[in-house]
Amino acid sequence: MKKILFGIIALILVVGGAGFAWYKVSYGGGTYYVQITKDGKEQQDTANGQKYTRYSYQMNAYKKDGKEKKVEFTADHNLRKEAYLELKVNSVKGVTSWEEVKKAEVPKEALKKINSNS
């Protein structure tokens, strides 16, 4: 009986670990910061017979330690100029999400790099 219980626990741990690893690879990533300084490049797309507009951005983003990375991402509206964004960047998928943050929330080293490249 103990062997069966041990086997079930081991199986749960293996499946749980594999699921966690898959989630990290698919959705995890580092946090980077950018400042929007110009309008996004307008793109017209069609899905399910409906047309919609997306705005594409290509720029350098910075980690909290100032490390730089070239990123590309899109938004469904033109982002506000001078806005600071926090990006989640996955090594496989690129930018998986973004949200606007206040300037005070941007780490000092990243802010220095953003301001030096403006």
Side-chain angles (χ1 to χ4, degrees):
M1 185 69 175
K2 287 182 181 180
K3 288 182 183 180
I4 294 173
L5 184 59
F6 179 72
I8 291 172
I9 291 172
L11 180 62
I12 290 171
L13 289 174
V14 168
V15 170
F20 181 75
W22 171 82
Y23 178 80
K24 284 300 228 182
V25 168
S26 297
Y27 299 103
T31 302
Y32 287 80
Y33 298 88
V34 298
Q35 182 181 29
I36 303 301
T37 57
K38 58 185 176 180
D39 289 333
K41 183 178 176 186
E42 192 172 317
Q43 301 174 329
Q44 298 295 324
D45 290 326
T46 305
N48 298 328
Q50 290 195 341
K51 290 184 179 181
Y52 63 97
T53 303
R54 304 219 26 98
Y55 296 87
S56 174
Y57 296 86
Q58 294 181 354
M59 59 185 56
N60 292 326
Y62 303 93
K63 288 190 97 155
K64 68 180 178 180
D65 63 1
K67 183 179 175 186
E68 182 178 319
K69 182 178 185 82
K70 185 106 174 142
V71 296
E72 294 181 34
F73 62 99
T74 61
D76 61 358
H77 62 282
N78 212 1
L79 298 173
R80 183 176 65 82
K81 288 183 186 172
E82 307 305 318
Y84 290 92
L85 303 181
E86 179 181 276
L87 311 174
K88 293 295 181 195
V89 182
N90 181 282
S91 61
V92 176
K93 293 184 175 187
V95 177
T96 57
S97 67
W98 58 265
E99 69 174 311
E100 187 171 339
V101 295
K102 295 178 182 172
K103 183 177 181 177
E105 296 176 47
V106 178
K108 288 181 182 179
E109 287 299 316
L111 191 59
K112 279 186 203 175
K113 294 283 189 164
I114 289 170
N115 290 333
S116 70
N117 291 326
S118 295

